[in-house]
Amino acid sequence: MQWNQIKTLFILCFLILDIFLLQQFLSVIDSRAPSESNPYSSQEEVIKENIKGLDNLPGETPKDSFITFKARDFTEDDLTELTARREQDAFILSDGDLLFSQFKEPIPIEADSTKSEKEVKVTENMLFGSEYVYWGQDEVTGALIFFQTNNSKPIYYSQSGFIAAFVNKDNEITSYIQAALDEVDRKEPKSMISAFKAVSNLYNAGELTLDSEITEQPEVGYYSFVDLNEGQQVFIPSWDITINESKHYVVMGFEGQFSSHDNPMFIRNSIRRAQDGLRTTLLEEEDMDYLRNTFSDLLESTRVSGEE
Amino acid sequence: MKREFLKTVALSILIAASLLLTLGIWNYQPNYDELDNSNYTNETLRGGKEETKKSIVEPSKVIINSNGSYSGFNDKTRQDELYRKMQDWSLIGFEEGIKTDQELPDSDEYMVELIFPLEVPASAIRDLFTVEDHNIEQVQRGSFDRIFLRLNEDDTINMTFFNTEAMMSMESTVQNANAANLVEKYAEIDDQIDYIRYEAGADTPIYLPRESRELKELTFSADAFTTTAELDPLLNSLLLNREVLKSNRMEGGGRSYSDGIRELRAHESEKYMEYINPLPENRRIDNWELVNQTVNFLNTHKGWTNSSQDEYQLYELNAQQNEVTYRLVYKEYPVFGEMDQLATINIVWRNQPYKYNRPLFQLGDSFDYGSPSNLPMGTDIVNFLDNTKGSSGIKDIMIGYKLVDEGISVRLEPTWFKKDGGGWSELDLSELSGLEEG
């Protein structure tokens, strides 16, 4: 055979070989690529079809930082300043980490008052009040929940940075529990996952059902899975996803883990925290007895009627 | 000629392309985002080892049946030896798949019975034994807790994998020519102890040693690894974010480590740790795959911190929870802790460890030759069971060690343990003494 003909033959052979290799190469790229990218688009469709209120989601992916906090101690000086603002019986609990106070004259709250009007009441009558934002009302006891902020973003559902204000039947604030955090350290901001990714994490974990609706615009705040205890703790930028107005999911902004919360549970836990705080306090026995009764009455009021 | 030149060029390009594509297929790695590995150290737990799936599943008892009398090896290392040899046998069969509604073999039908501490998934057979048969696919969904060996007239061995809970079985045949010889040789070893076959109602028989062996109470130094430096490999392996890691002193002693998401609590004086990583529940995975993944995970930081005399063995599998428990076994006797965290590696798996609780110490030197224990005899236990209500729920009984924490040392006390619906626990013999007196 002529070299010319052999060459033609070779060209054909290698052409076929190359087509095969190319096909192999593409399938290798597919299989080794991060698996997230591919099914994502179709999954996006599924979520769009099944979950309502997606237009509430902000489009941008914000940047934010890890922040390390430690508990702020309440001191006797703080109490002096506090009672000068408004007459109240304030008690320091839990080695200074927690404050419980009862107003001599309850503070009336208009039923239709705005968020900022409530926040003004807090600023006027409580310590460091300007650091707190109104979060919502516990449907069971009517208690008002305020979260401490950092960088004007709320610290979500932390038993170490909140105000729980208890109200009476006439819609007046009678007493409150407060805890506060101090920033120790802040890392460089990093890109967070998008709010949509946060929602799809919830969807993939089977937390969202067909009647789930995102009822508020998700906002960035800070959250830690781990209790602060006595030391320091890292808080992570997180999305709050509100489902059907009452259920809250806090989704961690970098890795997407989440935890679910609701206001009644938060109030119950904060009263229990105050009860525990009685164990490490310098109060007189008389005060202790009084607080013990007060807290168990408060805990009693958190029970949904009919629940025993 | 110009045409020929073009053909040469085309051929060269094609050859070059094929070479490039081949290299591409071999070496392709996608561009992942750079992970921050700067703090990553390749260290592993001090004294830790790697294990294989094959070595962590073992029978807790091997019962030899000769004409209706039952015995077991006095020297438990024999039991291990025989089982290790069995693992090299090459098995065929399984073509009948899983047979349901089976009766346990009659005592004249088999020679050796192996009893496992848990229901081992059938998909493990391929890893535990040597199977070159495609029919193994047919028994993937089953599980077994006993194996019966039947010696046939023609010197072949039938190996039946039996599930005493579901009364299902899987049949296989051993292909090795000298297997029957081997089993007979082991069956004829003199150094054996008698077992009582105890049948509680219609349930599966339980075997108890007639006269308890002279087991001694042993004390070991506890080589703890609870400092931050010693825990470093774990902190790496558990993906804690080193950049923001905070460690706090815990109230009861020890430290907790957290990055705001995951938390590892190392209890210093109690010598164990708890770890939690808040992952959502995910799909249940196959039981044996669960073992596979957790063994790999433990191997990455050499988490098998047993010493030469003891080992960790697979003891419990909970499919609902994706939970797996590896128990410390000392010279083939299982160890149950007064605080069981001291004797088990317990992992709940959700693609990563969701919970991971484990001891933070290794059995060190033995302090003495041990003091004799006054363990009740097997015959006493049988009397006790006959006279106790509710003993029909007991699925297995065996001698193990109770681990008692004594600070810098731990003591192993020989004790009777039972397995019932709630897993393994100490057999409450408080009524036994009363019976003897009365």
Side-chain angles (χ1 to χ4, degrees):
Chain A
M1 226 178 352
Q2 287 288 313
W3 170 234
N4 288 350
Q5 284 166 300
I6 295 175
K7 227 168 13 185
T8 315
L9 216 65
F10 267 34
I11 287 174
L12 275 175
C13 289
F14 272 97
L15 199 64
I16 294 166
L17 179 67
D18 279 1
I19 290 168
F20 170 73
L21 286 175
L22 192 69
Q23 187 200 341
Q24 286 285 304
F25 185 61
L26 290 178
S27 70
V28 165
I29 287 180
D30 254 9
S31 65
R32 292 194 199 162
S35 53
E36 214 177 281
S37 55
N38 220 6
Y40 191 71
S41 52
S42 64
Q43 199 204 355
E44 197 170 337
E45 295 300 313
V46 174
I47 293 172
K48 278 181 179 157
E49 273 169 33
N50 288 324
I51 305 300
K52 293 189 278 284
L54 286 175
D55 40 347
N56 274 326
L57 301 187
E60 83 273 21
T61 54
K63 284 190 163 192
D64 216 313
S65 327
F66 289 105
I67 303 179
T68 305
F69 288 107
K70 69 175 172 51
R72 183 185 300 170
D73 277 356
F74 294 101
T75 62
E76 289 298 330
D77 289 349
D78 289 336
L79 292 195
T80 318
E81 195 198 319
L82 181 63
T83 42
R85 275 189 209 172
R86 188 184 183 97
E87 279 211 64
Q88 49 189 297
D89 294 321
F91 304 91
I92 292 174
L93 307 171
S94 188
D95 280 334
D97 293 348
L98 211 62
L99 185 80
F100 175 77
S101 182
Q102 263 181 322
F103 293 113
K104 298 250 188 264
E105 288 274 313
I107 303 171
I109 296 276
E110 301 297 322
D112 54 354
S113 62
T114 62
K115 189 170 182 283
S116 52
E117 279 166 353
K118 293 188 184 92
E119 285 164 9
V120 168
K121 301 276 185 198
V122 167
T123 314
E124 283 172 353
N125 301 301
M126 301 175 195
L127 285 167
F128 327 115
S130 58
E131 292 179 36
Y132 292 79
V133 287
Y134 176 66
W135 178 254
Q137 193 164 23
D138 163 19
E139 304 83 21
V140 182
T141 59
L144 308 175
I145 299 171
F146 299 85
F147 286 164
Q148 198 186 352
T149 55
N150 180 295
N151 210 6
S152 68
K153 290 168 195 159
I155 298 164
Y156 292 130
Y157 291 102
S158 168
Q159 289 293 341
S160 306
F162 73 100
I163 292 172
F166 301 99
V167 294
N168 59 16
K169 287 201 179 70
D170 306 323
N171 223 21
E172 298 168 316
I173 299 179
T174 52
S175 61
Y176 63 92
I177 305 175
Q178 181 178 13
L181 289 162
D182 273 325
E183 180 182 320
V184 179
D185 180 41
R186 170 187 290 270
K187 298 281 175 200
E188 283 293 299
K190 292 205 287 187
S191 291
M192 294 172 61
I193 59 173
S194 69
F196 182 80
K197 177 79 177 110
V199 172
S200 60
N201 268 6
L202 296 177
Y203 184 83
N204 290 342
E207 294 289 330
L208 303 184
T209 51
L210 282 178
D211 57 358
S212 297
E213 182 176 353
I214 298 157
T215 44
E216 268 159 61
Q217 170 155 2
E219 280 182 34
V220 174
Y222 301 97
Y223 184 77
S224 176
F225 271 100
V226 184
D227 255 0
L228 197 65
N229 294 331
E230 288 145 36
Q232 304 184 346
Q233 198 47 260
V234 186
F235 282 65
I236 295 162
S238 309
W239 290 104
D240 167 66
I241 312 281
T242 314
I243 301 294
N244 300 343
E245 282 166 6
S246 58
K247 185 139 195 175
H248 293 267
Y249 287 95
V250 182
V251 184
M252 305 309 247
F254 299 128
E255 298 179 55
Q257 295 94 334
F258 60 85
S259 68
S260 70
H261 299 269
D262 58 53
N263 294 342
M265 185 167 67
F266 185 75
I267 289 292
R268 260 200 306 280
N269 287 341
S270 60
I271 299 168
R272 290 208 184 97
R273 169 118 205 266
Q275 282 179 324
D276 286 346
L278 283 175
R279 277 190 232 132
T280 44
T281 177
L282 301 167
L283 295 174
E284 306 280 325
E285 196 53 45
E286 199 183 330
D287 288 339
M288 300 268 275
D289 278 343
Y290 173 70
L291 288 179
R292 240 174 246 132
N293 290 332
T294 312
F295 292 153
S296 56
D297 287 348
L298 281 174
L299 205 57
E300 194 60 37
S301 72
T302 64
R303 291 199 179 176
V304 184
S305 51
E307 186 190 77
E308 283 305 315
Chain B
M1 277 319 280
K2 199 182 174 195
R3 182 153 165 255
E4 285 312 307
F5 176 70
L6 279 176
K7 272 164 78 180
T8 312
V9 171
L11 184 56
S12 314
I13 290 172
L14 284 171
I15 292 173
S18 70
L19 286 173
L20 282 175
L21 283 171
T22 311
L23 284 175
I25 292 170
W26 286 344
N27 297 327
Y28 175 78
Q29 278 296 331
N31 289 326
Y32 290 117
D33 287 342
E34 281 293 312
L35 285 174
D36 184 19
N37 280 342
S38 52
N39 288 319
Y40 183 78
T41 48
N42 226 352
E43 286 165 34
T44 48
L45 280 185
R46 179 165 58 83
K49 300 177 189 58
E50 291 189 23
E51 285 286 354
T52 58
K53 284 179 280 176
K54 196 170 181 165
S55 61
I56 53 154
V57 179
E58 279 182 33
S60 52
K61 284 178 205 164
V62 172
I63 303 294
I64 293 159
N65 168 17
S66 52
N67 308 320
S69 70
Y70 303 91
S71 57
F73 303 113
N74 188 14
D75 180 359
K76 283 258 193 177
T77 51
R78 297 278 188 191
Q79 173 177 319
D80 194 42
E81 250 172 56
L82 173 63
Y83 174 66
R84 297 293 168 211
K85 282 177 181 160
M86 284 176 60
Q87 287 189 310
D88 293 332
W89 288 350
S90 143
L91 303 183
I92 55 162
F94 298 110
E95 53 274 274
E96 289 168 80
I98 303 167
K99 296 196 279 187
T100 53
D101 290 332
Q102 296 294 297
E103 302 260 310
L104 281 165
D106 281 338
S107 55
D108 55 351
E109 282 181 23
Y110 66 94
M111 189 165 173
V112 178
E113 178 174 1
L114 287 78
I115 301 172
F116 290 82
L118 77 164
E119 279 185 27
V120 184
S123 35
I125 294 174
R126 192 205 303 253
D127 288 319
L128 299 180
F129 299 94
T130 315
V131 183
E132 290 153 24
D133 196 336
H134 296 302
N135 288 322
I136 186 76
E137 302 288 349
Q138 296 188 10
V139 297
Q140 287 296 301
R141 289 168 168 275
S143 62
F144 65 92
D145 57 357
R146 301 204 179 188
I147 295 176
F148 295 97
L149 298 185
R150 188 172 75 226
L151 269 66
N152 299 322
E153 306 251 307
D154 59 352
D155 268 2
T156 57
I157 295 184
N158 283 56
M159 200 154 147
T160 308
F161 296 84
F162 204 96
N163 183 325
T164 56
E165 196 61 37
M167 298 308 267
M168 297 195 289
S169 73
M170 299 162 269
E171 293 285 345
S172 70
T173 310
V174 180
Q175 279 211 299
N176 302 49
N178 59 352
N181 268 334
L182 182 86
V183 173
E184 272 166 351
K185 206 180 84 193
Y186 271 90
E188 282 161 14
I189 288 175
D190 278 339
D191 189 22
Q192 292 194 0
I193 46 173
D194 280 352
Y195 273 81
I196 308 169
R197 180 182 163 107
Y198 178 71
E199 281 172 275
D203 278 318
T204 323
I206 296 170
Y207 298 92
L208 301 94
R210 189 176 298 276
E211 291 167 23
S212 310
R213 248 190 71 195
E214 279 291 300
L215 278 182
K216 289 186 170 150
E217 206 173 283
L218 302 160
T219 305
F220 297 87
S221 67
D223 296 346
F225 40 96
T226 47
T227 65
T228 306
E230 285 164 327
L231 290 172
D232 202 52
L234 270 171
L235 296 173
N236 279 327
S237 180
L238 292 169
L239 302 168
L240 287 141
N241 187 341
R242 301 307 289 259
E243 190 198 351
V244 294
L245 189 70
K246 285 280 167 298
S247 100
N248 292 314
R249 194 93 209 137
M250 292 194 299
E251 252 172 57
R255 297 196 83 84
S256 81
Y257 304 83
S258 164
D259 60 3
I261 298 178
R262 308 162 190 91
E263 187 184 22
L264 189 156
R265 300 171 73 83
H267 300 270
E268 199 175 286
S269 49
E270 291 92 348
K271 300 182 284 291
Y272 73 95
M273 63 156 249
E274 300 161 295
Y275 165 81
I276 183 149
N277 180 8
L279 297 164
E281 271 187 72
N282 64 343
R283 269 183 314 118
R284 274 169 51 188
I285 53 172
D286 172 70
N287 263 339
W288 190 241
E289 182 55 27
L290 178 64
V291 173
N292 189 24
Q293 294 191 13
T294 48
V295 166
N296 286 341
F297 161 70
L298 284 163
N299 282 345
T300 55
H301 55 276
K302 293 204 164 63
W304 308 94
T305 49
N306 48 305
S307 43
S308 57
Q309 304 261 35
D310 52 285
E311 60 190 322
Y312 282 98
Q313 283 181 14
L314 179 65
Y315 243 73
E316 272 160 67
L317 270 172
N318 183 337
Q320 261 75 39
Q321 304 287 325
N322 275 350
E323 182 177 3
V324 56
T325 303
Y326 300 101
R327 184 171 292 285
L328 189 68
V329 174
Y330 178 78
K331 288 188 171 171
E332 308 299 324
Y333 289 96
V335 179
F336 299 86
E338 267 194 325
M339 225 180 5
D340 214 26
Q341 293 99 317
L342 296 183
T344 56
I345 296 175
N346 178 274
I347 300 174
V348 181
W349 191 256
R350 295 182 177 175
N351 280 330
Q352 292 170 26
Y354 162 67
K355 284 183 179 167
Y356 175 31
N357 299 339
R358 57 163 300 139
L360 290 179
F361 72 97
Q362 190 170 33
L363 289 185
D365 299 328
S366 178
F367 280 173
D368 46 35
Y369 297 104
S371 46
S373 67
N374 46 355
L375 194 65
M377 296 204 293
T379 43
D380 297 335
I381 300 295
V382 170
N383 281 334
F384 168 74
L385 292 177
D386 283 337
N387 291 307
T388 310
K389 277 179 208 149
S391 55
S392 59
I394 295 176
K395 289 171 184 156
D396 199 3
I397 288 181
M398 66 186 296
I399 299 173
Y401 286 104
K402 180 163 77 176
L403 186 146
V404 182
D405 182 20
E406 298 184 317
I408 55 160
S409 65
V410 292
R411 196 171 71 235
L412 297 186
E413 295 176 4
T415 310
W416 286 95
F417 291 93
K418 69 169 194 293
K419 181 189 170 190
D420 54 22
W424 287 93
S425 57
E426 187 178 344
L427 191 60
D428 180 14
L429 294 170
S430 52
E431 288 164 51
L432 183 63
S433 48
L435 277 174
E436 276 172 357
E437 282 158 25

